């Protein structure tokens, strides 16, 4: 758990442009996030995740030794972010009617998308590194999620992971080609990753509709915000990263 003092909260450090390479949430930052709650429009409640997705999200608490940098386990891009992204990806899959098979591939990709990060700043190329690691360890990864690693599923998951940190406007010709072969999973992972940006200590870094191509993401902004607040508060209260996210999901009645 972070021992950051209020004077050196992530919000204060971000304002001074002094954020460290490894960033851990703190009570002052969670209070700041809560205070800056956006004026979300009213909308229908999100769907409860299908049982298979609930199990996959639980398994999104990937082993620590899959991380390139163990310091990232509990940081802003660690297990809580991975599990929230996996849960939001599963919710998006429910909204768009994705098949069980493609949903499983998507949730797996969401859980792994930041596993090769070295720090919490602009670690360029971490998506490509994670895609290579996933491909090289496909049997182990898919088995962890109770899935069978087939060439098509490995390629789809690795493509989505590789492209998640490449803005659409920066796609090279090869990126466009790869994206066309895994378009839905790639777009949904980008959207889920963007939705979890409410955890970041600067308003200009919060979810930006221009970064996604999935209209369904708009309706999940309230859920994404509440999940950040609930899970970060639970972690600060002493819960493990995985338990904190599961508690937030249960409170929002997204899992049973």
């Amino acid at each position: 758990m972070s021992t950051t003092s209020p004077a050196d909260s992530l919000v204060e450090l971000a304002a001074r442009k002094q954020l460290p390479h490894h960033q851990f949430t703190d009570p002052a930052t969670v209070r700041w996030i809560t205070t800056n709650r956006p004026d979300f429009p009213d909308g229908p409640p999100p769907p409860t995740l299908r049982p298979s997705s609930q199990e996959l999200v639980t398994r999104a608490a990937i082993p620590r030794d899959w991380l390139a940098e163990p310091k990232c386990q509990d940081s802003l891009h660690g297990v809580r972010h991975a599990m929230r992204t996996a849960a939001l990806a599963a919710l998006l899959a429910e909204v768009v009617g994705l098949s069980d098979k493609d949903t499983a591939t998507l949730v797996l990709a969401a859980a792994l998308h930041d596993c090769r990060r070295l720090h919490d700043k602009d670690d360029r190329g971490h998506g490509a590194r994670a895609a290579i690691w996933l491909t090289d360890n496909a049997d182990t990864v898919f088995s962890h999620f109770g899935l069978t690693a087939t060439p098509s599923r490995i390629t789809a998951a690795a493509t989505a992971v590789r492209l998640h940190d490449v803005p659409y406007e920066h796609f090279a010709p090869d990126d466009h080609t790869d994206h066309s072969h895994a378009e839905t999973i790639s777009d949904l992972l980008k959207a889920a990753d963007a939705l979890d940006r409410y955890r970041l200590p600067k308003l200009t870094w919060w979810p930006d509709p221009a970064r996604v191509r999935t209209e369904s993401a708009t309706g999940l902004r309230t859920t994404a915000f509440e999940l950040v607040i609930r899970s970060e508060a639970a972690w600060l209260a002493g819960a493990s990263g995985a338990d904190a996210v599961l508690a937030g999901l249960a409170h929002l009645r997204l899992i049973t």
Side-chain angles (χ1 to χ4, degrees), residues 141-159:
V141 170
F142 276 77
S143 177
H144 171 83
F145 284 88
L147 306 173
T148 300
T150 64
S152 62
R153 297 182 89 174
I154 295 169
T155 298
T159 297

Side-chain angles (χ1 to χ4, degrees), residues 57-144:
V57 169
T58 299
R59 298 188 186 204
I62 62 175
R64 181 187 292 265
D65 61 8
W66 288 11
L67 302 180
E69 173 49 72
K71 290 180 182 178
C72 290
Q73 172 76 7
D74 286 319
S75 75
L76 287 190
H77 290 90
V79 65
R80 299 189 309 285
H81 171 57
M83 290 187 70
R84 287 194 300 261
T85 303
L88 292 165
L91 283 171
L92 287 167
E94 296 288 348
V95 174
V96 304
L98 206 62
S99 69
D100 285 348
K101 181 178 180 180
D102 285 345
T103 295
T105 303
L106 169 63
V107 173
L108 179 152
L112 272 290
H113 77 284
D114 276 345
C115 72
R116 294 284 96 184
R117 266 190 171 274
L118 300 176
H119 52 75
D120 292 301
K121 301 187 84 171
D122 187 16
D123 187 6
R124 295 186 180 182
H126 69 272
R129 297 195 300 270
I132 292 171
W133 188 90
L134 189 163
T135 301
D136 289 345
N137 295 274
D139 287 339
T140 298
V141 170
F142 276 77
S143 177
H144 171 83

Side-chain angles (χ1 to χ4, degrees), residues 44-65:
T48 299
L49 294 177
R50 67 189 83 167
S52 58
S53 290
Q54 293 188 35
E55 175 64 23
L56 289 165
V57 169
T58 299
R59 298 188 186 204
I62 62 175
R64 181 187 292 265
D65 61 8

